[in-house]
Amino acid sequence: MPQVDIVLVEPLYEGNIGFAARVMKNFGFHNMVLVNPPKMTMEATARASHAKDVLESAEVLTLEEVFHRSDLAVATTGGLAKSVSHPMRMPYYSPSELREMIKNVDGRISILFGRENWGLNNEEIARCDIVATIPTSAEYPVMNISHAIGVICYELAHLPRGEYLLANKVEMDALYAHFARFLEGISHPIEKRETTLLLAKRVLGRTNLTVREASTIHGVLRRTEWHLKHPGMAYEEKTREHWDEEE
C-alpha cells in the first residue's frame, strides 16, 4: 500500500492532536506529521489514549519539507469552489473517490488537514495535487479536525499493496516548470498563465503520472517547442545537425 502521512498544518489545540492520533491508530495509520504545532502537555497524551506511540513518533516538519518529500499531496477542505471558473478548489473528490485514485500507488502520499479555525489557505491548496472534501450537511458543515481525519482514515483503511511508482516531487516540479516555460514560449496571455498552470497541475496531479509518462510529456513539449522555432523542418533533421555540430 502507499505510505500515507496524515499532516496537521498548524493545529491550534493539543487535544485535537491527541484525538487525531487515536483515530489514526483505530484504522491502522501511524505516520503523523505536525507543522508548527502548539506546545504539547499531558492533555495530548491523555486524548491519545492507547495511541501514545503514534503521538510520540509524530514528526515535526515545515510545510516546505512536507511538499519536498511527497510524491503526491492531497489538500482536504470544506470551502469549495462554486464553479469550474474558480479552479483553486476544483475539481474536488470525496474520500471514497480519493481511495480509488491512490489505491495502486507505490509512494509517499501526504494528506493535509488545515487549521481548526480557517483550514488551508489558497496558496497551500494550490501546491497540492488533489483536493478532497467530506460531504457534510449544509445545516452544520464544519467538522472537528479529528473527526475529519477519522473519516478519511476509515475510507483509506486496508489499501491494497501499491503496484506502480509515481513520478517523484522533483520530477513533477520539473514538468510543471517546463509547462510554464511552454506557455511563455507560445505567448499564452500573461494574465491567464497562472490559472492555466494550476489547471494543468490539477489534471496531471490526479492522473498519478509514472516516471515514463512524465518523461513522455517532456518529450512532446520539447518537440513542439523545436517545431515552433523551426517551422517546416523535420525534427529528425534537427537531430542529425546537432550530432554533426558535436562531431
Side-chain angles (χ1 to χ4, degrees):
M1 64 183 291
Q3 177 175 328
V4 177
D5 291 349
I6 301 298
V7 183
L8 281 68
V9 179
E10 298 186 347
L12 299 176
Y13 309 113
E14 61 167 313
N16 281 338
I17 299 174
F19 282 134
R22 180 173 178 171
V23 77
M24 284 173 60
K25 191 169 183 179
N26 284 151
F27 296 108
F29 293 90
H30 297 82
N31 301 326
M32 173 182 278
V33 178
L34 303 175
V35 176
N36 192 24
K39 182 179 179 180
M40 307 284 275
T41 67
M42 289 301 295
E43 180 185 356
T45 303
R47 302 301 186 193
S49 189
H50 295 293
K52 295 181 181 65
D53 55 327
V54 175
L55 186 64
E56 291 170 355
S57 63
E59 297 180 273
V60 179
L61 302 176
T62 66
L63 198 54
E64 195 63 38
E65 289 172 327
V66 170
F67 282 121
H68 179 73
R69 75 178 192 176
S70 301
D71 296 307
L72 193 71
V74 179
T76 61
T77 178
L80 303 174
K82 300 302 181 182
S83 77
V84 293
S85 297
H86 299 83
M88 182 63 66
R89 298 168 187 264
M90 285 284 285
Y92 54 84
Y93 300 92
S94 69
S96 59
E97 289 172 323
L98 177 63
R99 176 188 174 86
E100 289 301 307
M101 295 170 73
I102 70 172
K103 67 179 182 180
N104 294 322
V105 169
D106 183 7
R108 182 187 291 270
I109 299 175
S110 294
I111 304 180
L112 278 62
F113 294 84
R115 307 150 188 87
E116 290 94 330
N117 54 351
W118 51 277
L120 299 170
N121 63 38
N122 282 345
E123 180 182 354
E124 292 159 350
I125 293 171
R127 296 188 67 181
C128 291
D129 304 291
I130 298 172
V131 179
T133 190
I134 299 170
T136 53
S137 170
E139 182 180 3
Y140 189 26
V142 181
M143 296 184 71
N144 177 277
I145 187 172
S146 64
H147 296 174
I149 290 171
V151 172
I152 295 290
C153 289
Y154 167 77
E155 285 289 351
L156 302 185
H158 308 299
L159 284 169
R161 188 173 185 85
E163 296 178 359
Y164 60 87
L165 285 170
L166 292 178
N168 63 32
K169 177 68 173 173
V170 173
E171 291 160 342
M172 290 305 297
D173 282 348
L175 181 57
Y176 298 143
H178 191 174
F179 189 74
R181 295 193 301 272
F182 180 80
L183 292 177
E184 181 180 358
I186 63 173
S187 300
H188 193 68
I190 294 176
E191 68 277 9
K192 294 183 179 180
R193 288 179 195 172
E194 183 176 355
T195 298
T196 302
L197 185 59
L198 177 59
L199 289 170
K201 183 173 184 179
R202 287 284 178 262
V203 172
L204 297 174
R206 67 176 181 266
T207 57
N208 298 336
L209 294 179
T210 64
V211 176
R212 174 68 181 275
E213 290 166 341
S215 177
T216 298
I217 295 174
H218 270 300
V220 171
L221 291 175
R222 282 194 296 268
R223 183 180 288 260
T224 303
E225 289 166 335
W226 190 88
H227 277 295
L228 290 173
K229 292 179 180 178
H230 305 86
M233 186 176 180
Y235 193 73
E236 290 72 20
E237 293 177 21
K238 168 261 177 185
T239 305
R240 286 197 295 270
E241 288 181 0
H242 179 70
W243 290 340
D244 291 341
E245 291 172 359
E246 289 188 338
E247 292 173 354

